[in-house]
Amino acid sequence: MQQNLDFEIVVVGGGIVGLASAYKIASSHPGIRIAVLEKEERLAAHQTGHNSGVIHSGLYYRPGSGKAETCAKGRKELIAFAEEHGIAFDICGKVIVATAESELGRLAELFERGRANEVEGIEKIGLERIREIEPACSGIAGLWVPCTGIIDFVEVAKKLAELIEAKGDGNKVLTGHEAMGFEKHDFHTKVLTSHGGFVTKYIINCAGLQCDRVARLDGVEPGVRIIPFRGDYYELTEEARDKVKGLIYPVPDPAFPFLGVHFTRMIDGAVECGPNAVFSFKREGYGKCDFSLRDSWDSLAYWGTWKLFMKNWRYGLGEYRRAFSKRLFLRQLQRLIPSVEAGEIRPSKAGVRAQALGPRGELIDDFKIERRGSSIHVLNAPSPAATASLAIGDHINEIATQYFGLGETAKREQPQRTERKGKGKDRGKGRKSKDASKPEG
Ligand SMILES: Cc1cc2nc3c(=O)[nH]c(=O)nc-3n(C[C@H](O)[C@H](O)[C@H](O)COP(=O)(O)OP(=O)(O)OC[C@H]3O[C@@H](n4cnc5c(N)ncnc54)[C@H](O)[C@@H]3O)c2cc1C
């Protein structure tokens, strides 16, 4: 039975990816009504509000990958967006510094990768030039990446929310609304939230640290598990801030999708040092000892997690020791700036990365965005997804336009029929939609 819709599309998650996607759809389809549901009382409360604030260049990613393609495009769009809407940003550039001979090969590979990805202005530099850019920094060789910058992604998220609502009377960005279940009907879905239900045709899951769970609520088996990796930061005291002019990064370990502990000048002038990457016992836990039985069980009952631990126990142990020892954390920072002293750093914020892990213990490196029937699920959107958010939004808009029949020329397609109604965690579990084997994106 046809039912009056509250919204054509409901986006779950008011982080930067959900907001950028809703913004892109609302911009190219002004007639449709779209809602963004955010479970917290404020937007960008998790990854988007707990990151390094770096506008990445697109240097690191495998040419042709989703990350490489969306990062450079997203960066340029983000800068144009910030300029248009008066959001502060600074293209301060960054240096990547090799501190040991053993890193030189990887530094050379990074340079080639940067060239393959057409990163503008990238340069190989020696110690003299490193010192010109960052006088306190030490190393044996480096790369200068002038198009990297800094921004406050929370400001971007807030502006996107404002614009989504401004684009149509029927558009809503609703905080304090947790999507808790999906009642599937023939031609619509009722999204059950902590504040009542909304009837919609299409769902876009951008729930970050909860995206695998939201997918299961929608009857979709995501094929990956979100494993939370906390990153702790220290910050430089006001007196020591002068030691960092812009961004100073180490050469990353290619075995991991993390960039290594770095120095980041933030848009408010503070200098952050971090983040490390430790397995977290709570998905949205920002304290070193935070624990959630449900989250720990979900991670530890997954065979992929144990495979990851077995392959990388030495690295993991090192990260754990550094998380609890200021002395060890400092030692890592001193590889980049030898003059930093214990009294010049103090504990600061933490962030938790949503990292998708496959069943064989493989860390999913690229973005993972899949359409299943009348839903789109963003199942892996780690760094640089904040930088790339507007380009990811374009990509999601393209999928929605094509498969949800939003555009005039789009292929018309009714959402697939489902037989079951219900609510809650187990509803739809293990049930695949008719075209679940045809992921898009
Ligand atoms: C420590 C750290 C440093 C990083 N540094 C950078 C960087 O410098 N540059 C960069 O580009 N990227 C960086 N990233 C990555 C970047 O922050 C993320 O890729 C990006 O923020 C992901 O956005 P998102 O919208 O997918 O997720 P989130 O920002 O986590 O948003 C998801 C939202 O969904 C909501 N939600 C979850 N479940 C539900 C539900 N059932 N109902 C309603 N709402 C729900 C959550 O409350 C949350 O607000 C960093 C990440 C971390 C953790």
Side-chain angles (χ1 to χ4, degrees):
M1 193 182 70
Q2 290 281 12
Q3 169 139 359
N4 288 340
L5 300 175
D6 295 308
F7 303 101
E8 273 80 16
I9 299 181
V10 165
V11 176
V12 179
I16 201 159
V17 173
L19 290 164
S21 303
Y23 167 70
K24 288 292 181 162
I25 294 172
S27 304
S28 57
H29 305 288
I32 71 154
R33 287 159 299 159
I34 187 161
V36 178
L37 306 182
E38 168 52 51
K39 70 180 167 71
E40 307 294 349
E41 293 301 330
R42 64 195 159 91
L43 297 169
H46 292 295
Q47 295 176 92
T48 304
H50 291 259
N51 64 27
S52 299
V54 175
I55 306 174
H56 286 296
S57 63
L59 169 85
Y60 298 102
Y61 318 113
R62 187 173 47 77
S65 64
K67 281 186 177 177
E69 288 188 355
T70 52
C71 186
K73 181 169 175 271
R75 162 167 59 86
K76 289 172 194 160
E77 258 201 82
L78 179 66
I79 292 166
F81 182 89
E83 267 168 351
E84 184 183 347
H85 298 290
I87 298 169
F89 70 96
D90 182 9
I91 304 302
C92 54
K94 87 168 171 187
V95 285
I96 302 174
V97 181
T99 53
E101 296 275 336
S102 57
E103 292 172 344
L104 293 178
R106 275 185 276 142
L107 191 73
E109 278 167 27
L110 265 188
F111 179 71
E112 291 310 325
R113 196 163 257 204
R115 292 234 296 214
N117 286 334
E118 297 177 6
V119 173
E120 311 92 270
I122 177 172
E123 240 182 88
K124 279 183 180 167
I125 55 176
L127 182 58
E128 203 178 320
R129 180 90 172 98
I130 294 175
R131 285 265 164 83
E132 260 174 44
I133 302 165
E134 293 287 353
C137 184
S138 181
I140 54 176
L143 296 182
W144 168 233
V145 191
C147 61
T148 303
I150 50 174
I151 196 164
D152 182 346
F153 286 113
V154 177
E155 290 303 310
V156 179
K158 285 186 192 159
K159 179 51 75 177
L160 288 168
E162 192 186 308
L163 295 173
I164 292 163
E165 293 200 325
K167 285 196 184 288
D169 287 346
N171 295 344
K172 294 273 177 279
V173 177
L174 302 168
T175 54
H177 283 69
E178 178 171 0
M180 303 175 84
F182 302 101
E183 263 185 24
K184 293 284 189 186
H185 298 261
D186 284 350
F187 297 108
H188 69 268
T189 297
K190 187 167 182 186
V191 183
L192 307 168
T193 81
S194 44
H195 286 87
F198 298 102
V199 178
T200 185
K201 243 175 158 174
Y202 305 109
I203 291 159
I204 303 180
N205 164 16
C206 303
L209 285 152
Q210 310 292 341
C211 67
D212 53 344
R213 290 176 177 159
V214 170
R216 274 189 212 100
L217 284 178
D218 192 34
V220 166
E221 174 44 51
V224 291
R225 183 81 39 110
I226 290 296
I227 302 298
F229 285 95
R230 201 188 63 249
D232 306 306
Y233 291 85
Y234 281 79
E235 67 174 339
L236 291 187
T237 57
E238 284 76 3
E239 300 72 40
R241 282 180 185 175
D242 248 11
K243 293 189 175 178
V244 176
K245 306 295 171 205
L247 303 166
I248 307 175
Y249 277 63
V251 178
D253 182 339
F256 302 99
F258 314 122
L259 298 181
V261 167
H262 46 266
F263 290 91
T264 311
R265 180 167 284 281
M266 307 296 281
I267 206 71
D268 64 2
V271 176
E272 302 274 10
C273 326
N276 54 0
V278 283
F279 171 80
S280 170
F281 290 91
K282 189 170 181 192
R283 291 194 184 197
E284 292 165 359
Y286 300 98
K288 285 190 172 65
C289 300
D290 281 6
F291 178 81
S292 149
L293 188 59
R294 182 187 179 201
D295 293 350
S296 304
W297 175 258
D298 267 6
S299 295
L300 298 174
Y302 186 56
W303 187 223
T305 309
W306 292 102
K307 291 197 169 163
L308 178 77
F309 285 173
M310 284 187 280
K311 276 191 277 184
N312 301 294
W313 65 270
R314 202 184 294 271
Y315 175 88
L317 208 63
E319 285 297 86
Y320 250 97
R321 288 172 61 218
R322 271 188 290 275
F324 285 95
S325 163
K326 182 176 176 181
R327 188 176 52 84
L328 294 179
F329 202 101
L330 178 67
R331 203 182 285 167
Q332 213 175 9
L333 295 175
Q334 284 171 332
R335 291 181 62 191
L336 296 170
I337 302 188
S339 64
V340 179
E341 290 171 10
E344 292 177 329
I345 60 170
R346 57 182 173 226
S348 169
K349 66 181 188 193
V352 183
R353 306 168 181 86
Q355 174 61 52
L357 185 69
R360 289 182 301 281
E362 69 281 20
L363 294 160
I364 308 299
D365 187 49
D366 208 357
F367 298 147
K368 186 171 166 67
I369 300 170
E370 297 189 358
R371 180 193 58 104
R372 308 283 181 100
S374 55
S375 307
I376 297 169
H377 295 275
V378 178
L379 297 168
N380 196 42
S383 183
T387 302
S389 54
L390 289 165
I392 294 174
D394 276 332
H395 180 59
I396 289 176
N397 179 36
E398 276 162 26
I399 301 173
T401 303
Q402 185 177 1
Y403 290 97
F404 296 170
L406 300 181
E408 281 171 16
T409 55
K411 191 170 102 191
R412 292 265 151 213
E413 186 186 74
Q414 290 291 347
Q416 99 303 311
R417 297 171 73 92
T418 52
E419 310 89 34
R420 237 153 64 126
K421 291 181 191 176
K423 168 181 175 179
K425 191 169 183 273
D426 294 321
R427 206 204 58 66
K429 217 174 180 178
R431 206 161 262 265
K432 287 190 177 156
S433 49
K434 219 160 55 180
D435 51 355
S437 60
K438 288 196 293 175
E440 301 296 334

